[in-house]
Amino acid sequence: MKYLKSIFVLLSIFNFISCSKDSIKPAVDYSDVLSNSTNQVIINTYKDLNDKSKLLLIAIDQLKSNTSTGNLELARLAWRNSRIPWEQSEGFLFGPVDQQGIDPSIDSWPVNVVDLDAVMASPDVLNKTYVDALEGTLKGFHTIEYLLFGENGNKQLAEFNTRQFEYLSACTQSLNGSTQQLFDAWRTEGQNFGKNLIEAGKVSSIYPSQKSALQELVDGMITIADEVANGKINDPFVQSDILKEESRFSANSKADFADNIRSIKNIYLGSLDGSGSIAGFYTLLHQSKVSLHQKIVNQIEAAIAAIESIPGTFTTAITLNRPAIQFSQDQVRALQLTLESELKPFIDTF
């Protein structure tokens, strides 16, 4: 009898351990969604950013060595092209870009023109090491933008001087250093932060569950929708102040805003091509929330279309086409509301 009782106790312990192991497994495996969000969207976007940052440096150095109107326009085009992946990354501004303080080195705004003029007037040697040590408002995308396009966006070749070319080159080298750091932080061959999302729920990840990783991604989408609607569009629009408009030197604000919304689209669909051919957030809604899925897709496309349909530049529209700006803001806010009040609560039930 004593022997049978011992067997019973051992079987009970075995069953308890088995049940405990089962309890930490998700009811549904979301590995494909997390893997595609990481590899297909986030890491590929950062790779594209790093590649285009290198092309911008080549264009700047070409302009520096062969000053011509054609090379100036090529450098300006390279700046616009490198903005695309950066703005399309703002739907997932978590992890290394935040933890390692990379964001301020890449995208601080507004430019500190007073201190920038002081740097230009100084005898300091302008190189990457020097620029790396400066505050964010003296480097990154918008300082390069200011130097390339000028205060009113119509800077002429004759207005450039040797110090400006030196600073442009050093500033772009510094930018490229930051984009390389960001790419290395995420990719498998580097610090492999992406592993945390892909292996969410395992001891190797900072995310205790796949649900918590999915919530991080949803929060990222909500954050950028809020920033576009209630910051980037709202501040210059409501205050009728063009000095609060980001990317006004290059008149690139509308493209920036639309690419911010595309960052939501890319994470939601799990790919950069908009095809939705592989697993993404949308597949989580596929069977039980079809109407919500279609609502999100429609609102994403409506927000992008509304922003891109604002007549003229965002700067001129602040004065001349305010209803179009109001309409675009309303579309982004509608998307934000759906993500906050319907998608996020749905993910919270996992």
Side-chain angles (χ1 to χ4, degrees), residues 176-228:
N176 189 224
S178 295
T179 61
Q180 184 71 56
Q181 179 185 350
L182 184 54
F183 178 43
D184 288 342
W186 273 88
R187 62 180 176 150
T188 305
E189 298 81 3
Q191 298 166 35
N192 199 12
F193 183 85
K195 180 184 70 174
N196 289 295
L197 285 176
I198 295 170
E199 298 182 2
K202 300 179 181 177
V203 294
S204 55
S205 171
I206 63 172
Y207 297 102
S209 64
Q210 291 186 334
K211 174 182 174 179
S212 64
L214 293 171
Q215 288 170 324
E216 177 92 279
L217 292 169
V218 172
D219 287 342
M221 289 189 275
I222 293 171
T223 298
I224 191 57
D226 177 50
E227 184 176 342
V228 172

Side-chain angles (χ1 to χ4, degrees), residues 80 245 247-248 250-257 305-322 324-325 328:
R80 292 182 195 279
E245 179 193 345
S247 297
R248 69 181 176 87
S250 58
N252 207 58
S253 300
K254 291 193 307 183
D256 281 2
F257 304 161
I307 291 167
E308 293 183 335
S309 297
I310 296 172
T313 67
F314 192 81
T315 303
T316 59
I318 289 173
T319 304
L320 302 176
N321 290 290
R322 294 183 65 81
I325 294 180
S328 67

Side-chain angles (χ1 to χ4, degrees), residues 111 116 136-147 167 171:
V111 177
L116 180 60
T137 53
L138 291 170
K139 59 186 178 183
F141 271 120
H142 294 299
T143 297
I144 297 169
E145 178 196 16
Y146 173 76
L147 291 170
Y167 199 84
C171 207

Side-chain angles (χ1 to χ4, degrees), residues 4-306:
L4 289 175
K5 185 181 288 184
S6 298
I7 293 293
F8 176 77
V9 170
L10 287 172
L11 286 173
S12 297
I13 292 173
F14 176 78
N15 287 334
F16 173 78
I17 292 173
S18 298
C19 289
S20 296
K21 285 183 177 178
D22 288 344
S23 67
I24 64 173
K25 292 180 180 178
V28 180
D29 186 2
Y30 304 111
S31 296
D32 51 354
V33 175
L34 291 168
S35 178
N36 288 334
S37 296
T38 303
N39 292 319
Q40 301 302 320
V41 180
I42 298 177
I43 294 179
N44 279 341
T45 298
Y46 285 143
K47 181 183 184 303
D48 191 27
L49 171 65
N50 193 44
D51 290 345
K52 288 193 166 66
S53 168
K54 291 176 180 175
L55 293 176
L56 174 60
L57 178 58
I58 291 172
I60 294 290
D61 285 342
Q62 175 104 0
L63 173 63
K64 179 183 173 186
S65 62
N66 182 12
T67 306
S68 68
T69 301
N71 283 337
L72 174 58
E73 292 308 316
L74 287 175
R76 288 171 171 171
L77 177 61
W79 183 90
R80 292 182 195 279
N81 288 339
S82 61
R83 283 294 283 179
I84 294 171
W86 170 252
E87 295 300 313
Q88 291 188 6
S89 79
E90 292 201 324
F92 39 88
L93 287 181
F94 57 84
V97 71
D98 176 48
Q99 297 166 357
Q100 298 183 21
I102 299 173
D103 188 347
S105 295
I106 291 180
D107 200 35
S108 283
W109 173 86
V111 177
N112 186 339
V113 176
V114 173
D115 285 0
L116 180 60
D117 288 342
V119 169
M120 290 299 178
S122 76
D124 297 340
V125 176
L126 303 178
N127 55 33
K128 178 180 180 298
T129 302
Y130 179 86
V131 174
D132 281 346
L134 295 176
E135 294 289 331
T137 53
L138 291 170
K139 59 186 178 183
F141 271 120
H142 294 299
T143 297
I144 297 169
E145 178 196 16
Y146 173 76
L147 291 170
L148 274 179
F149 293 87
E151 175 72 27
N152 299 311
N154 58 355
K155 187 174 182 178
Q156 301 300 305
L157 206 57
E159 298 177 62
F160 286 84
N161 58 45
T162 301
R163 290 284 282 176
Q164 290 181 6
F165 284 130
E166 291 174 351
Y167 199 84
L168 268 170
S169 180
C171 207
T172 311
Q173 290 176 47
S174 178
L175 174 70
N176 189 224
S178 295
T179 61
Q180 184 71 56
Q181 179 185 350
L182 184 54
F183 178 43
D184 288 342
W186 273 88
R187 62 180 176 150
T188 305
E189 298 81 3
Q191 298 166 35
N192 199 12
F193 183 85
K195 180 184 70 174
N196 289 295
L197 285 176
I198 295 170
E199 298 182 2
K202 300 179 181 177
V203 294
S204 55
S205 171
I206 63 172
Y207 297 102
S209 64
Q210 291 186 334
K211 174 182 174 179
S212 64
L214 293 171
Q215 288 170 324
E216 177 92 279
L217 292 169
V218 172
D219 287 342
M221 289 189 275
I222 293 171
T223 298
I224 191 57
D226 177 50
E227 184 176 342
V228 172
N230 303 311
K232 293 185 177 189
I233 290 177
N234 190 72
D235 292 350
F237 175 54
V238 171
Q239 299 176 45
S240 296
D241 185 355
I242 64 170
L243 297 180
K244 296 186 179 301
E245 179 193 345
E246 190 176 7
S247 297
R248 69 181 176 87
F249 306 131
S250 58
N252 207 58
S253 300
K254 291 193 307 183
D256 281 2
F257 304 161
D259 281 326
N260 284 158
I261 305 304
R262 288 190 179 93
S263 73
I264 297 173
K265 178 179 179 179
N266 293 342
I267 286 291
Y268 183 73
L269 295 178
S271 66
L272 297 180
D273 61 8
S275 64
S277 59
I278 57 178
F281 265 85
Y282 75 99
T283 55
L284 306 178
L285 284 61
H286 184 64
Q287 293 186 344
S288 60
K289 295 282 184 180
V290 176
S291 59
L292 176 57
H293 161 63
Q294 197 56 55
K295 182 178 182 180
I296 291 172
V297 169
N298 290 343
Q299 288 182 330
I300 288 173
E301 296 302 337
I304 293 172

